[in-house]
Amino acid sequence: MKRTIPFLLLILLPGCEGSTLERSDRGSMKKNPISIRGWIAGIDTGAPPPGDVFAVTSTDLKISPYQSQLFQETNLSIEGVVYASGGVSDNGSFVVLDSPPGDVVLNFQAPGISLVQLRMSGIPPSADVLIPAIQVHPDRIEILDPKSIAIRVPAPAGGERKRLDEKAIVGEHQVEVWQVPLRDMMDRRDWPVPR
C-alpha cells in the first residue's frame, strides 16, 4: 500500500500541472478560434511622404507606391499568441486567423513606428471580426468608420440572421454581435476588399 501512494502521485501530479498551464498559457491552440480582418487606410509615420506618383491598384483604390510598401512591411500579431497566422497585403487589407476569443490585443508595427495596439474585449468564440478602414498613427490606431465594424458568429444548423444580446468592444467602440447562417461566413478566411 505504501508503494502505491507515491506511484499514484507520480501519475496524478503531471496531469494537475498540465491543466494549470493550459488555463494560463495563451501560446497554445484554443478551441473556437476567431478571425480578424480589415484594412489599413493609411500609415502616418510622422514624416512627410516622398513625392511619388499615385498608382492605381487592382481594387481601383489610389495607393501610392510608398504606402503600398509601408503596408507590405507592416508586421501584424496578436499579443501573447504565437500560433495566429496572417499579414498585411500591398493594398492594406489584413487577415489574422486562429486568434483566441475573449480579450484580444492586435499589434501593428510599421516601418518608422513603434508598436501600436488595438484592444478588443468580449469577442465570442468562432467569431469573424471585420474592422474596416483603420489609420495607423505613431502612437495609436484610429478606426475611421466605427459604424461599419462587424462581428459575426455562426448560427446553429437552420438558424437565421439575428442580433444577439451580447456586445463586444473594438477599440473604444461598442459593437453588436450578429448570428448569421454558416453559408454567410464562408469569407471569414478571405482577404477583405478595401473600399
Side-chain angles (χ1 to χ4, degrees):
M1 179 74 171
K2 289 182 181 181
R3 289 184 184 178
T4 307
I5 292 173
F7 178 74
L8 286 174
L9 286 175
L10 286 174
I11 292 173
L12 294 175
L13 282 177
C16 295
E17 189 176 325
S19 63
T20 303
L21 285 174
E22 187 176 319
R23 275 183 262 131
S24 65
D25 180 27
R26 287 182 52 89
S28 61
M29 187 66 135
K30 301 294 181 204
K31 291 183 179 179
N32 303 316
I34 67 170
S35 57
I36 304 168
R37 304 177 307 129
W39 60 88
I40 302 169
I43 298 174
D44 173 16
T45 62
D52 55 1
V53 178
F54 280 87
V56 178
T57 66
S58 60
T59 58
D60 293 329
L61 291 176
K62 292 186 177 180
I63 300 173
S64 72
Y66 173 71
Q67 277 294 306
S68 181
Q69 183 176 352
L70 284 178
F71 293 154
Q72 292 177 57
E73 293 177 9
T74 298
N75 292 318
L76 181 62
S77 64
I78 300 291
E79 184 83 13
V81 178
V82 296
Y83 58 82
S85 60
V88 180
S89 74
D90 64 348
N91 69 357
S93 66
F94 62 86
V95 175
V96 180
L97 303 175
D98 302 322
S99 173
D103 297 344
V104 178
V105 178
L106 189 58
N107 296 322
F108 290 86
Q109 190 166 15
I113 294 179
S114 62
L115 184 81
V116 289
Q117 299 180 320
L118 179 63
R119 297 182 181 279
M120 297 178 266
S121 61
I123 306 297
S126 302
D128 175 51
V129 180
L130 179 66
I131 311 166
I134 66 169
Q135 179 79 22
V136 178
H137 296 281
D139 59 346
R140 71 189 192 292
I141 299 287
E142 178 185 3
I143 300 173
L144 301 176
D145 189 9
K147 288 185 167 86
S148 295
I149 299 170
I151 300 177
R152 308 175 298 173
V153 294
E160 292 300 317
R161 179 180 172 83
K162 71 175 184 176
R163 186 176 58 211
L164 300 178
D165 292 334
E166 59 190 285
K167 295 190 186 222
I169 304 291
V170 177
E172 298 116 26
H173 308 285
Q174 192 173 57
V175 181
E176 295 175 339
V177 177
W178 286 83
Q179 179 178 282
V180 300
L182 187 58
R183 68 181 175 273
D184 293 347
M185 292 190 66
M186 298 306 284
D187 63 348
R188 70 177 296 164
R189 295 186 170 274
D190 298 342
W191 295 89
V193 177
R195 52 183 194 273

